[in-house]
Amino acid sequence: MDTRWRSVLLAAVVIGAFFEVTTEHRRFGPLVDAFALAAVGVVGAAAVLGSGSGSGPRERLAREPQYGAPPDTAPPICRYVTAPAAPQPQPPMPQPPKPRPFLRERPTDLSVPRFGDGARAQGYRWQLPERTVQNGIAADEATIGAFTLRAASVIGPGHRCAQPAEPRQDSYRIGRSRDSRHAIVAVADGLSSAARSDAGATTASSQAVTLLREQLETVGFDGLDAKELYGRIAQSVATQANGRGVDSSQLATVLITAVLAEPDANGVARAWIAWLGDSSAWTLDPHVPLWRFAAGEVKDRTSAVVSNEVVGRLPDTPQLTRDHCVTLAPGAALALVTDGIGDAWADPAGNVNEYFANAWRAPVPATRFTADVGFDAPQCLDDRTAVVLWNGAGA
């Protein structure tokens, strides 16, 4: 209802009330007049309030903005805000998880193999010698022509836990001919009774590889001469002792060397081995889980007392050097070892030989190879060194 019709209604009510009040009533006159005046007041107030509100329900709905329609007026200004409101801190956005390295295979177990109850000295702390010496552990991994090579030397439990510790008295060197058709190996074991035997072993193994390379270049594989070779090595060890101002016996060492020629058309390789002392060479058929003795000196394990005395040594008796040739079928292996390993392989009472025949049937990583060389077995306290070469594609 608009304003015009409300004004007409208010005027009609006021006029009607006037006539009602001015007309004489026979009974209840004052009461009728009061109700008439009250009705006029109520209607008038309603008309005034209705005009103030501006509209009824329909008009109010018509004026309310519809959903999605733009507002017809500007938003009201807040009179109490004197400065822009400070931005509220937002919660940190979740960061994507960092990529984790993908493990392609189970890590190799590098714990050393243990036989029986092991040696008590194996669990003792490693100590250092008083003088500067070679490292307690050495290892190599290489391919020479058709041969795959692994080498490791580990100081024995009996040497590393002493007070003061003794140096690693084993030493090895590996090399090749210029054309890589021949692999060259030398393994030396300094005598424990010699005060500077570690220096003698290092000199002997290093000189052996150098001199064998010279012989290969001058006389070839078939002309290798063990007596001439070990005689020159003995001179080098004696010269080293003289330079240190000590007797040559203080650098006493044993030595075993090998040269492997490239395989023939059938894949068979020849190996020339020369030795002086109780280090040894062993061969392995990949189909037979047993290392077989091939060259060197082996202690008599059948006697009640096993002697550690060696027959020949450098630089004193190079004339006692001996040599021998073996053949390696495809996939077969040749190992040169010091007595720290050779004695354990030769012991018929243990299963050390069988374990190493299965573990080294094919080349293993140098880390695994070194852990095997550091094996734990009763009464095996000496330094241990092994250099193994596998022949051809069968490896």
Side-chain angles (χ1 to χ4, degrees):
M1 183 180 296
D2 56 13
T3 305
R4 184 182 61 182
W5 287 106
R6 285 198 300 270
S7 300
V8 172
L9 177 59
L10 179 60
V13 172
V14 171
I15 295 173
F18 176 77
F19 282 107
E20 181 66 26
V21 173
T22 56
T23 304
E24 182 179 357
H25 297 275
R26 297 178 181 178
R27 299 181 63 183
F28 309 106
L31 184 59
V32 172
D33 294 340
F35 275 109
L37 293 174
V40 172
V42 170
V43 173
V48 173
L49 293 175
S51 63
S53 62
S55 65
R58 292 184 179 179
E59 288 78 2
R60 288 196 301 272
L61 289 175
R63 292 188 179 185
E64 291 180 356
Q66 299 299 318
Y67 177 77
D72 54 355
T73 58
I77 300 176
C78 180
R79 300 182 182 276
Y80 301 99
V81 177
T82 59
Q88 297 296 323
Q90 298 296 326
M93 296 295 293
Q95 298 295 328
K98 295 182 179 180
R100 300 181 62 183
F102 182 66
L103 187 64
R104 296 186 179 275
E105 59 185 12
R106 182 179 179 182
T108 304
D109 181 11
L110 296 183
S111 59
V112 301
R114 184 179 186 184
F115 302 92
D117 295 332
R120 185 168 58 178
Q122 184 80 17
Y124 292 166
R125 295 179 179 179
W126 291 35
Q127 308 294 333
L128 287 178
E130 292 179 340
R131 56 188 174 89
T132 303
V133 295
Q134 61 181 342
N135 296 335
I137 297 177
D140 279 289
E141 178 173 334
T143 300
I144 305 173
F147 303 106
T148 302
L149 181 147
R150 301 290 185 269
S153 182
V154 179
I155 185 173
H159 289 171
R160 66 194 184 214
C161 67
Q163 288 287 1
E166 299 179 18
R168 176 169 58 89
Q169 297 166 348
D170 284 1
S171 176
Y172 73 85
R173 291 292 186 273
I174 55 177
R176 61 177 178 83
S177 60
R178 294 182 184 273
D179 55 7
S180 294
R181 296 178 57 187
H182 299 86
I184 307 171
V185 179
V187 175
D189 182 1
L191 302 186
S192 297
S193 58
R196 303 280 178 169
S197 64
D198 56 310
T202 302
T203 302
S205 60
S206 178
Q207 280 294 101
V209 172
T210 301
L211 296 176
L212 280 170
R213 186 183 291 111
E214 291 181 3
Q215 284 197 5
L216 285 172
E217 293 177 354
T218 55
V219 298
F221 180 82
D222 294 325
L224 294 175
D225 188 334
K227 296 292 177 62
E228 193 268 342
L229 171 69
Y230 277 64
R232 294 182 62 183
I233 295 173
Q235 293 176 4
S236 297
V237 174
T239 301
Q240 182 70 224
N242 185 50
R244 292 173 177 264
V246 297
D247 189 80
S248 61
S249 62
Q250 297 300 307
L251 274 69
T253 182
V254 301
L255 177 68
I256 187 168
T257 55
V259 177
L260 285 76
E262 64 176 355
D264 59 17
N266 297 320
V268 178
R270 291 187 300 162
W272 175 86
I273 306 169
W275 69 94
L276 179 65
D278 58 356
S279 293
S280 52
W282 303 70
T283 57
L284 176 66
D285 185 327
H287 306 293
V288 180
L290 185 69
W291 284 97
R292 299 187 181 277
F293 178 79
E297 295 180 8
V298 178
K299 300 179 179 68
D300 184 7
R301 289 281 177 178
T302 61
S303 63
V305 178
V306 179
S307 174
N308 289 321
E309 183 179 359
V310 296
V311 176
R313 69 188 68 184
L314 293 173
D316 300 330
T317 57
Q319 68 278 5
L320 299 179
T321 301
R322 300 172 59 190
D323 63 334
H324 180 62
C325 285
V326 298
T327 58
L328 298 176
L334 172 69
L336 269 60
V337 300
T338 58
D339 62 343
I341 293 179
D343 289 353
W345 285 7
D347 187 359
N351 61 343
V352 181
N353 188 315
E354 182 180 359
Y355 168 84
F356 279 92
N358 285 282
W360 294 351
R361 183 174 299 177
V364 296
T367 49
R368 176 70 266 175
F369 189 88
T370 305
D372 284 338
V373 171
F375 70 95
D376 181 15
Q379 300 179 354
C380 291
L381 304 178
D382 199 5
D383 299 344
R384 59 283 304 267
T385 300
V387 180
V388 181
L389 298 100
W390 289 265
N391 174 31

